[in-house]
Amino acid sequence: FEIRDIDTKNGLSTSVKYIVLPEETFGALVRRTNITNTGSDPVTISALDGLAKIEPVGGMLDWSLKNMGRTLEGWMGVYQAGEGTTMPFYRMSTEPGDTASVKIELAGHYLLSFLEKSNGDSTLLPVVYDSYAVFGRDTTLLEPDGLKVNSVKEILSKPQYGQARTSSAFAAIEKITLQPGESISIASFYGKADHVEAVKSIADTVTKEGYVQRKFVQARTMINALTSSVETNTTSHLFDGAVKQMFLDNSLRGGMPIILGDVDDDAKYRNYDEDDRVKVFHVFSRIHGDLERDYNAFFIDDTYFSQGHGNFRDVAQNRRDDVTFTPRVGSFDVQMFLSFIQADAYEPLTVEAVIYFINDPNVAAEISAETTGDAKSAEILTDVLNGGPFRPGQLFALIDQLGIKLTAPKEEFIDRIVAASTDLPMATYGQGYWGDHWDYYLDLVNSYLAIYPDGEEALMYDKKLRYFFSTATCKPRAEKYVLTLTFDGKSHHVLQLDSTVFDDDKVAEQNAFRSKKTGIVGFDASWQRTKDGGRAFESSPIAKLFLLGATKFATRDSYGMGVEYEGGRPGWNDAMNGLPGMIGSGMPETFEMYQLLKYVKKVVNKYGRPVTVPAEFAFMIAEVNAALDDLEASGFAEPEELPIDVPPQLFTYWDTVATAREEYRAKVKYYFSGETTDYTAEDLSVMIERWLGQIDVGIQRAIKIGSHGDDDDGKSGIPPSYFSYNVTSWEENGLTNDVGLPLVNAKAMAVGRFPLFLEGPTRYFKTVNEDKAAISTMYDKVKVSGLRDKDLNMYYVSATLKGQSYDMGRMMAFTPGWLENQSIWMHMSYKYYLELLRGKLYTQFFSEMRGGGMLPFMDPVQYGRSLMECSSFLASSVFPDPSDRGRGFSARLSGSTAEFLSIWKIIFIGSNPYFVDESGDLKFTLKPAIPAWMFKDDDANAADPTYDEHGFLTVSFKLFAHIPVTYHNSKGVDLFDVSPTGYKVTMQDGTENLVEGGVISTDLAQKIRRIWDVKSIDAYF
């Protein structure tokens, strides 16, 4: 990005540009300052250019910097990599700590600055690192008090001190004269090196003639290449640019899939499922990554193939359309995330990069011999490959550290290694069990099926997946229903507290895999196995989805409406952090469960194959069905007016089913027995159909009970999002929690209601996605409800929370209109808009989009930041300060980008470009949802329309990140859910395939999916 400053008084124009240094073995932030004399007279200047503050290297400093910054400075120092002050090296003496283990810090940050020369190599400038010399005692670092009394030359002539203080990093120019029109360019490299001795060689590299210019060109070229995957050309260049930025930001949060293992042409033409050599590795990913959130600390490896860990919910959403943009990904994402389903139907918090390992030592030795230049290198590389799992970046770092000499190019080498390896997903427990992590599986499955509908049976039945093994256990109710005083201390109530416990016995189980040499726990420790040293237990994906859906069905609340947040964490809206304590439940998860079970039923009906599940789970299912038999036999009938108190029959059913779930979890807490049970397709279908009926009843019951809030009588007909449950009768069970409070068994409950939240109708849309009238009716209801911000023409994340209990969570601590309290939460708004588009409410969707509900069509002045940049939230019209209303805050790499890309896919490709017809043949069709204004727009800011040789309007985009597609709109009308009248598919060899009608047959459809042989597609309407 670029910053400009115009000094009319002195006739100087200054611009500063930044890039991240691309394609080097060392990393750096590059700053390029250009100063131009725009006046008519010569100007003599002296300058300090750079950073007022730079932190040293010294381990994980985030907490220390925020909480004990002054004390931390005791470890800080500035060292020199050469003579003078041209190569300062900022590091800690040791990693700060107060333990018996002391680690000396060798790595540090460096600054290398120089004036770029038009011919010849550049010479390093001196650096001023003593912050006192520049700012004096102004700790705000706003006033250069030192520079006011000393010239740059005088500062450089005096000693500088960098010990026991936070230092600066300024390139210093003593004096230079610029003639009219003359410019200088100061290049500065701020980076990290593992040792001070590495800085000299870095300096030799970056000061070479033309190096800086080449890197700036290379950085722009790289960004263009990365975003060319979604190149889009409409009459709105702002929209076209936003698509690219959304794709880039989505990749930085969820990761960008890189295909490895292309060792020959056969591999190149195959996907992850078709060839064991083909692997998928995600680069660039990191947790959130938004620097405006002071509690976020993200990490990426400073290696080739750099990547970092991410939160489960984030990564699962942001990788939703991987297979759309990179079809060779195949079912990789589906398999990886379904592997993380645990026996208890929860998931870990943190997703890490996959690991690779070579099973056959002889293969490792063979590859090592063929890719290295000497016997010693081959021996060392063999030991590395046989030494345990690795990631590509780690492998290259070891190769450099150990001096291994490769003869093969790096790309060829890593393809060869990975092709011979086995991959395995990795994750870590983190904290708590969120109620919504599983909500995103079906999105991944549906995205896969939109490209590979012919791969469904093999994926669902023939793949085998492990079960993740976390170190935490979800407690049974008897160990987490706590009797405690109410807020006012006048009475008692029951809260659900400390729902998960860090399980020392599980840790002991994992320690069986700890290496005695390194102390590192092996990767097998993360997967649940059978007892007595058995192997990791595996099930088919359809079995895991059934286990998940059935367990969530068995976790419905006592009124049979929402899915309980019994794992200690809420769902998507994690500002409802108090809801689990209120024995809360969520309808969003019910709507997702309904869809999931419908999908499982569809699959078993379609393929008629049995489903094999763990025997312990089958026993739980039998108990659930028996309880349902008892409920039906009890004669319970839905009353006309639903009481707040849970009817006894429903409570008994809930208690019985919850007990069965807890008993199942106790059985599989550490191991599976290894025994299994088979369900026929018919039995499973009948069972699920019965459950779906119960869920339907629960949904209608929830809508009838409704929401409740200020100016909300619960009769809007809009699905509520959340419920809480007050235990009205209980008995102490003789147990106490960790702080001595008594634990109880619930005997009766009453339901509590909340105001409307946008998540409720958004997820509800999925249950009626084939009923356009139902979606339209619900849309109309939401638009006139308390969820609509009529001033901003957007949607609140919640209606007013006035009068609600602080027990519900931190959102109640926020000012209305701010953060999760009745603000415009961009991600949930985008989810809502996406469901409108999926429901084929095209007119309503584009009205919302262009009406300012979505980027880049918001008012830029009101939004207050780039229209290319998502925000966490916008302050809504109820926020007290009018100047902040509509302004975006906490710019972030968010889930909004995933929703935007899904919207882009429907607009330009359609929901399901591939399908299998009644004869079982694979077919391809493009069925866009493009409004006429993207072809031709009378708006003054619109770009000129483009036409083909026949005078037809055109719009173009890139399919599968490779194939240019041009739509020819002969009538200039909206292309909403219509197929072309014909296609021209041009191949790389120049041959043209003319297709009549809207459907492309199998052979050509497969070539399009494999991408390499297709040059372009023209579709005619």
Side-chain angles (χ1 to χ4, degrees), residues 273 583 588 849:
D273 302 303
I583 314 180
M849 173 192 264

Side-chain angles (χ1 to χ4, degrees), residues 25-26 81 87 112 195-208:
T25 56
F26 54 92
M87 292 185 280
L112 301 169
H195 197 280
V196 67
E197 294 177 355
V199 178
K200 179 63 169 61
S201 64
I202 294 173
D204 291 342
T205 298
V206 302
T207 54
K208 294 295 183 185

Side-chain angles (χ1 to χ4, degrees), residues 62 212 240 287 305 420 461 996 1010:
D62 183 69
V212 176
D240 301 343
I287 180 172
F305 298 93
Y461 286 95
E996 291 186 5
R1010 295 194 188 281

Side-chain angles (χ1 to χ4, degrees), residues 687-920:
M687 185 191 309
I688 293 176
E689 182 65 27
R690 186 187 189 193
W691 295 353
L692 291 173
Q694 288 293 313
I695 298 169
D696 267 326
V697 169
I699 291 173
Q700 297 309 311
R701 189 181 292 150
I703 294 175
K704 193 171 184 179
I705 286 179
S707 55
H708 183 74
D710 188 62
D711 199 27
D712 178 5
D713 61 4
K715 297 180 180 180
S716 66
I718 299 171
S721 294
Y722 314 114
F723 296 106
S724 65
Y725 284 87
N726 179 35
V727 178
T728 56
S729 176
W730 64 83
E731 63 180 16
E732 296 187 26
N733 59 28
L735 302 175
T736 58
N737 71 355
D738 289 343
V739 296
L741 293 174
L743 296 165
V744 304
N745 297 330
K747 294 300 179 182
M749 287 181 170
V751 66
R753 299 177 295 170
F754 295 96
L756 287 171
F757 286 78
L758 188 59
E759 188 179 8
T762 298
R763 305 265 191 185
Y764 170 78
F765 279 147
K766 293 185 176 184
T767 68
V768 292
N769 59 0
E770 296 179 0
D771 188 341
K772 184 175 180 179
I775 295 175
S776 181
T777 299
M778 186 58 65
Y779 168 75
D780 291 339
K781 289 179 179 179
V782 173
K783 196 167 185 178
V784 298
S785 74
L787 290 171
R788 179 73 170 180
D789 188 328
K790 296 178 177 61
D791 292 338
L792 295 179
N793 291 324
M794 299 178 186
Y795 294 92
Y796 300 122
V797 69
S798 72
T800 176
L801 302 181
K802 181 180 178 180
Q804 297 300 304
S805 168
Y806 278 82
D807 286 345
M808 65 193 289
R810 64 176 182 267
M811 63 173 55
M812 286 302 298
F814 304 141
T815 300
W818 190 258
L819 288 169
E820 289 94 338
N821 188 338
Q822 208 183 349
S823 72
I824 311 298
W825 203 264
M826 186 173 282
H827 187 189
M828 185 50 65
S829 293
Y830 277 28
K831 280 183 177 292
Y832 182 77
Y833 298 139
L834 172 60
E835 294 308 321
L836 298 183
L837 195 57
R838 284 174 170 168
K840 302 185 179 181
L841 270 62
Y842 302 118
T843 300
Q844 294 93 325
F845 167 80
F846 286 109
S847 175
E848 296 281 2
M849 173 192 264
R850 294 195 89 187
M854 289 183 63
L855 295 173
F857 299 103
M858 295 179 183
D859 180 339
V861 176
Q862 188 176 51
Y863 187 54
R865 59 197 328 142
S866 170
L867 295 178
M868 304 288 111
E869 182 178 64
C870 288
S871 298
S872 288
F873 71 96
L874 284 68
S876 71
S877 61
V878 301
F879 188 67
D881 186 349
S883 66
D884 278 334
R885 294 171 186 169
R887 183 175 294 271
F889 291 91
S890 292
R892 64 183 304 196
L893 307 176
S894 81
S896 303
T897 60
E899 315 308 330
F900 189 98
L901 292 176
S902 292
I903 287 169
W904 179 91
K905 178 177 72 172
I906 295 175
I907 293 175
F908 290 95
I909 301 174
S911 296
N912 296 287
Y914 282 91
F915 65 96
V916 176
D917 67 13
E918 294 178 355
S919 300

Side-chain angles (χ1 to χ4, degrees), residues 11-146:
L12 291 174
S13 173
T14 304
S15 69
V16 180
K17 293 182 179 180
Y18 291 92
I19 61 168
V20 175
L21 184 64
E23 297 189 348
E24 279 292 359
T25 56
F26 54 92
L29 174 69
V30 186
R31 172 187 172 102
R32 197 183 201 186
T33 302
N34 186 273
I35 304 173
T36 302
N37 181 357
T38 58
S40 56
D41 299 315
V43 177
T44 299
I45 63 172
S46 61
L48 294 179
D49 180 66
L51 303 181
K53 182 168 71 172
I54 184 170
E55 303 295 352
V57 173
M60 299 179 66
L61 302 180
D62 183 69
W63 183 90
S64 299
L65 287 169
K66 294 174 180 176
N67 294 280
M68 47 175 280
R70 187 65 187 95
T71 302
L72 188 67
E73 288 180 323
W75 279 266
M76 297 181 182
V78 180
Y79 306 84
Q80 296 296 328
E83 298 295 328
T85 63
T86 59
M87 292 185 280
F89 195 65
Y90 305 81
R91 69 170 176 85
M92 300 285 214
S93 53
T94 67
E95 287 193 4
D98 190 25
T99 65
S101 176
V102 178
K103 180 181 178 181
I104 296 174
E105 185 58 72
L106 298 177
H109 290 140
Y110 62 82
L111 166 59
L112 301 169
S113 295
F114 50 89
L115 288 173
E116 293 184 63
K117 296 172 63 175
S118 58
N119 50 22
D121 297 345
S122 298
T123 302
L124 293 174
L125 292 169
V127 172
V128 175
Y129 56 84
D130 188 339
S131 57
Y132 289 0
V134 181
F135 298 100
R137 296 292 170 168
D138 178 26
T139 56
T140 68
L141 306 182
L142 295 177
E143 292 294 331
D145 291 340

